[in-house]
Amino acid sequence: MKRRRASRGSGEDLRAEIVAAAKELLAKSGSADAMSIRAVADAVGVTSPSIYLHFADKDDLLSAVVVDVFTELDAAMLSAAEGLTAPMERMRAFGLAYVRFAVDHPEHYRIAALDSCPRPNVDEVLATSAFEHFNATVKQCMDAGIFAPGDPLPITLELWAAAHGIAALMITKPFLPWGDVEQVADRVLRAAALGRATADLIGGDVTPARVTEWLAAQKTPARSPKQ
Amino acid sequence: MKRRRASRGSGEDLRAEIVAAAKELLAKSGSADAMSIRAVADAVGVTSPSIYLHFADKDDLLSAVVVDVFTELDAAMLSAAEGLTAPMERMRAFGLAYVRFAVDHPEHYRIAALDSCPRPNVDEVLATSAFEHFNATVKQCMDAGIFAPGDPLPITLELWAAAHGIAALMITKPFLPWGDVEQVADRVLRAAALGRATADLIGGDVTPARVTEWLAAQKTPARSPKQ
DNA sequence: TGTACATCAGTGAACGCGCGTTCACTGATGTAC
DNA sequence: TGTACATCAGTGAACGCGCGTTCACTGATGTAC
């Protein structure tokens, strides 16, 4: 492939093309080690030294890809929650979109969330867009009285762990009997949120014995929600 | 390092030494790609072609390491739950031991659970020891009426996802404000189990709206467990 | 007990490969006059 | 408008490296007689 030489100011174009090509190669070829500078250069239609005009080294390119992936993930989450106002509904939409994204782009998700990142600071992205949006929704759930008031961060991490756990396992152990992605994700996320809410409801030190007792107490008088 | 040549029948000794050396190297050097046949041979005090007397190729060695790691994980879980009989207590001990193992041996956990395995069949280990033990405990929880009766597998996968999620995130994003490992793990695992139990309790289609409603109903009459 | 010999665990050297990165360069682009 | 020239995006060739794996071999171990 031959490409027209970029004009003076338009270095950004090739940069973007390189990131896009790297993402695509990553999606096909597995891990970060399988994505070579040479292959990326080839895909863009440029020689490998050209990459170094736009990125300091391979890790720098990878960081750029991770940033791009997180941006895309955030966009997917926001669009999934668009129009929803009830905090629990928003949270559910976020979580489902998160898992869906991971399963749809397993290799991208892998380098962004499964691998340790080469440059830790790229994870500040995670502290900004997608993560921040999720954290804000957890805060809304607190304000709505669903979770006990306080710092939303621990709950955000907790729910994130649930979403990440199911996404990661589905990706790395696809041969297990997961069933429908959407349905399993929904089930897990609901249980995680409900579990946190109920734990807050029980309050105090939630020991296994107390939980067992509490569950029994819920059942024996056959007290059920107003339906 | 010079090693005495193995006697006729004792091929197994070197094999075990190789696996042990590979595990150690893995623990130090990060990913599977960072563990080279040459380095393993060096560590054992043998030349690299010798490895091929015991393993077909690098993937074969890696599979052996994964099997070893799962065995060790299973042993850690079993020993943590030793003496405990209450199903919830056992489940908690299993979960905590699981997360603790992952955090204590991050690189071993990484190749066993975070990477896709080179030979999918090694994951049958996972279908035998550690996984089977966990699944059995979930079944016990069902029999004890904590979870709704039925196939324990979906619940096992769900709870495993919670444990895996928190373990994986703590490993790959260690700079996040996790706090004490044990405490966070306990919190997450409890919420996951409690959430599943409560969801079963509410029954039917657990929509966000119904959960919100149910939670409100629990609170307004200020009904709390008998302490 | 002693010797000749087959076995096979482990060796040493080499193979071809693809990698990240560097370096001096080329020649199209844009600008100064 | 036309020409000389500086700039700098992209090139082509090469570097050194460590890798997985192979191959013909060596020589200690165990056995048959």
Side-chain angles (χ1 to χ4, degrees):
Chain A
M1 194 208 287
K2 248 340 196 185
R3 74 186 327 267
R4 199 188 245 95
R5 180 206 178 110
S7 62
R8 281 291 163 80
S10 60
E12 287 306 304
D13 291 2
L14 180 49
R15 198 194 133 94
E17 270 185 74
I18 292 171
V19 171
K23 270 182 75 178
E24 202 172 328
L25 268 169
L26 228 26
K28 274 188 230 150
S29 71
S31 78
D33 294 277
M35 182 211 80
S36 73
I37 291 279
R38 290 162 131 97
V40 171
D42 252 30
V44 176
V46 120
T47 59
S48 50
S50 296
I51 305 292
Y52 293 90
L53 294 173
H54 301 275
F55 301 93
D57 53 25
K58 196 187 177 181
D59 277 352
D60 194 31
L61 169 55
L62 252 145
S63 293
V65 172
V66 171
V67 167
D68 201 89
V69 167
F70 271 120
T71 308
E72 199 186 338
L73 168 60
D74 184 46
M77 284 170 62
L78 283 183
S79 111
E82 210 182 351
L84 298 177
T85 50
M88 283 286 271
E89 295 279 6
R90 283 185 66 78
M91 215 168 61
R92 173 170 177 263
F94 275 162
L96 286 181
Y98 183 94
V99 176
R100 165 75 35 226
F101 181 89
V103 172
D104 283 350
H105 311 85
E107 298 307 339
H108 294 161
Y109 187 73
R110 164 168 269 127
I111 61 144
L114 254 54
D115 297 348
S116 296
C117 29
R119 307 238 196 287
N121 65 331
V122 304
D123 270 77
E124 284 164 13
V125 175
L126 180 147
T128 50
S129 55
F131 191 83
E132 238 357 285
H133 287 134
F134 195 76
N135 199 47
T137 307
V138 170
K139 182 75 171 57
Q140 283 170 27
C141 287
M142 280 183 171
D143 296 343
I146 293 163
F147 299 136
D151 182 11
L153 190 62
I155 299 187
T156 300
L157 290 176
E158 186 175 323
L159 296 178
W160 184 26
H164 176 67
I166 194 69
L169 281 187
M170 279 176 151
I171 289 172
T172 57
K173 315 286 175 198
F175 48 83
L176 290 177
W178 295 112
D180 179 65
V181 173
E182 209 81 16
Q183 214 170 309
V184 175
D186 207 10
R187 189 182 144 89
V188 168
L189 294 172
R190 256 176 345 210
L194 183 56
R196 172 50 36 216
T198 314
D200 288 355
L201 195 68
I202 299 178
D205 193 27
V206 186
T207 61
R210 280 199 64 209
V211 168
T212 310
E213 194 186 321
W214 182 83
L215 285 169
Q218 297 301 308
K219 274 179 191 168
T220 39
R223 190 177 192 287
S224 78
K226 352 180 238 165
Q227 286 290 56
Chain B
M1 195 205 289
K2 244 344 190 182
R3 75 185 327 266
R4 197 187 246 96
R5 179 205 176 110
S7 62
R8 280 292 163 79
S10 61
E12 286 305 303
D13 291 3
L14 180 50
R15 197 194 134 95
E17 270 186 75
I18 292 171
V19 171
K23 268 182 79 179
E24 201 172 327
L25 268 169
L26 227 27
K28 275 189 226 147
S29 72
S31 78
D33 295 277
M35 183 212 78
S36 73
I37 292 279
R38 290 162 131 98
V40 171
D42 251 31
V44 176
V46 117
T47 59
S48 50
S50 295
I51 305 294
Y52 292 90
L53 294 174
H54 300 273
F55 300 93
D57 52 24
K58 196 186 177 182
D59 276 352
D60 193 30
L61 170 54
L62 252 147
S63 293
V65 172
V66 171
V67 168
D68 200 272
V69 168
F70 271 120
T71 308
E72 200 187 336
L73 168 59
D74 184 45
M77 283 171 61
L78 282 184
S79 111
E82 209 181 352
L84 298 177
T85 50
M88 281 288 270
E89 296 279 4
R90 283 186 66 80
M91 214 168 63
R92 173 169 177 262
F94 275 161
L96 286 180
Y98 183 94
V99 176
R100 163 80 30 231
F101 181 89
V103 172
D104 284 349
H105 311 86
E107 299 305 341
H108 294 162
Y109 187 74
R110 164 168 271 126
I111 61 144
L114 254 53
D115 297 348
S116 297
C117 28
R119 309 239 197 284
N121 64 330
V122 302
D123 269 78
E124 284 164 14
V125 175
L126 182 147
T128 50
S129 55
F131 190 83
E132 237 358 284
H133 287 135
F134 196 76
N135 199 49
T137 307
V138 170
K139 183 75 172 56
Q140 282 170 28
C141 287
M142 280 183 169
D143 295 343
I146 293 164
F147 299 136
D151 182 11
L153 191 63
I155 299 187
T156 300
L157 291 176
E158 185 175 326
L159 296 178
W160 183 25
H164 177 67
I166 195 69
L169 281 186
M170 278 177 152
I171 289 172
T172 57
K173 316 286 175 197
F175 48 83
L176 290 177
W178 295 111
D180 178 65
V181 173
E182 209 80 17
Q183 215 169 309
V184 175
D186 208 10
R187 190 182 143 88
V188 168
L189 295 172
R190 258 176 344 212
L194 183 55
R196 172 49 38 214
T198 314
D200 288 354
L201 196 68
I202 298 180
D205 194 27
V206 186
T207 60
R210 278 197 66 208
V211 168
T212 310
E213 194 186 321
W214 182 83
L215 285 168
Q218 296 301 308
K219 273 179 191 167
T220 40
R223 190 175 194 288
S224 78
K226 11 178 222 161
Q227 283 292 54

